[in-house]
Amino acid sequence: MEGVAVSYIYSFALCLHHIMFLIGPKYFPDNPLKYPPSFDGRVVLYPTFRDVRNYFNWRQADCHINNLYNTCFWALVNKGNLLPAEAEKRLCGTMSADKNELLFSEFGLNYNNTPEVFRKGSTLIMSDVIDDKSRKRKSIKQLSCDIIGDSFWNQYKCNLDSDLFDS
C-alpha cells in the first residue's frame, strides 16, 4: 500500500509541475519561466501515528514561522525601503510577537488576517465525493486549517489506517 501512496503523491506533484510549466505563461505573460519549476519532496515512514502527527505539526509550525518572517522581510524591503541585508539584520533575533508588532505598528497589517493558506500551509487529503452519475469515488481535497490541534485529526480519522491509532 505504501508504494501506491508514494506513486499517487509523486504523480500528483508531477501533474502540478506540468500545469505550472504549461499554464504559467498564460497567467504570467510578463514574467516567463526561465527553467521548469521544481519541488522538494520526501517519503518518510514513521513507526507510529504519534510520530506522523508530530511530523505534520512541525511542518505546519515551520510554515507559519517562515511565512511570518517573509511577510516582515518583504514589508521592510517593499514598503519600508530597506535593502534586503538591512531587513535581514533588523529581523535577526526577533520573536513572533516582535514580528507581529512590527507588521502592525509600521505597516498597519494584522498578521492574523493573513489568509490561512499562507499561515498554515496546505494539507491534501483523500475525500469521498459523489460524481455526476451518483457514484462514490475518491478525490484529493486541499485544506488550509489548523492540524496541530485535535479537531483536524478527529474529523479525518477515517482517512487513516485504524491500526495506526493502536500505537
Side-chain angles (χ1 to χ4, degrees), residues 56-68:
F56 281 111
N57 290 352
W58 168 70
R59 294 297 300 166
Q60 185 165 75
D62 198 43
C63 173
H64 166 73
I65 290 165
N66 290 332
N67 187 65
L68 180 58

Side-chain angles (χ1 to χ4, degrees), residues 1-3 5-6 42-49 51-52 55 164:
M1 185 63 178
E2 288 86 4
V6 170
R42 299 174 188 95
V43 176
V44 182
L45 299 176
Y46 287 110
T48 67
F49 170 71
D51 293 326
V52 170
Y55 174 77
L164 287 173

Side-chain angles (χ1 to χ4, degrees), residues 55-120:
Y55 174 77
F56 281 111
N57 290 352
W58 168 70
R59 294 297 300 166
Q60 185 165 75
D62 198 43
C63 173
H64 166 73
I65 290 165
N66 290 332
N67 187 65
L68 180 58
Y69 177 89
N70 284 311
T71 301
C72 290
F73 179 87
W74 289 110
L76 289 168
V77 171
N78 293 330
K79 297 177 183 174
N81 299 316
L82 294 183
L83 295 171
E86 295 169 325
E88 185 178 356
K89 185 176 181 180
R90 173 108 184 258
L91 293 172
C92 185
T94 58
M95 305 301 282
S96 290
D98 303 321
K99 291 179 185 81
N100 277 301
E101 181 59 29
L102 179 149
L103 288 171
F104 189 74
S105 63
E106 294 189 30
F107 304 106
L109 176 64
N110 182 341
Y111 184 74
N112 291 327
N113 294 336
T114 302
E116 281 192 324
V117 68
F118 300 114
R119 292 182 288 123
K120 300 187 182 295

